[in-house]
Amino acid sequence: MSKKNKDIEVRIEETIKPIHGKDYTVNQLFIGKKMIGEIMTMGPKEFQSFLGDEDLGASRSLETAIETVIRQWNLHD
């Protein structure tokens, strides 16, 4: 018996977070009401990904950062 893949809707909300006196754009990824990760915009081509307290590293595009968070969440959940 094979397991069938389900489509999961991921919602992205953009917010501003003040960190050490500087405002950063943060994209929060949600599945349902549960936040699965955050992506902080550090520069034009630098996005830092987080899964809870775990730093997942930097990416050159927002799309790559989103993919990194979803892959890691998939492994942990």
Side-chain angles (χ1 to χ4, degrees):
M1 222 191 222
S2 73
K3 203 173 181 183
K4 195 170 185 181
N5 289 338
K6 295 189 294 183
D7 287 339
I8 297 173
E9 185 177 323
V10 177
R11 188 176 81 250
I12 301 170
E13 292 183 11
E14 188 175 291
T15 186
I16 303 293
K17 281 192 175 182
I19 300 170
H20 301 298
K22 187 175 179 192
D23 289 340
Y24 290 94
T25 300
V26 176
N27 291 287
Q28 298 175 325
L29 279 64
F30 290 89
I31 292 180
K33 293 181 180 180
K34 181 181 178 184
M35 183 172 64
I36 63 166
E38 295 181 299
I39 300 165
M40 186 170 14
T41 304
M42 306 298 286
K45 287 190 176 184
E46 188 179 355
F47 300 89
Q48 198 70 30
S49 305
F50 299 91
L51 186 71
D53 292 335
E54 184 181 351
D55 184 347
L56 301 177
S59 301
R60 290 188 172 270
S61 72
L62 181 58
E63 291 78 19
T64 305
I66 290 169
E67 189 175 313
T68 299
V69 170
I70 293 170
R71 281 187 183 179
Q72 287 300 316
W73 174 80
N74 217 3
L75 290 174
H76 290 271
D77 201 43

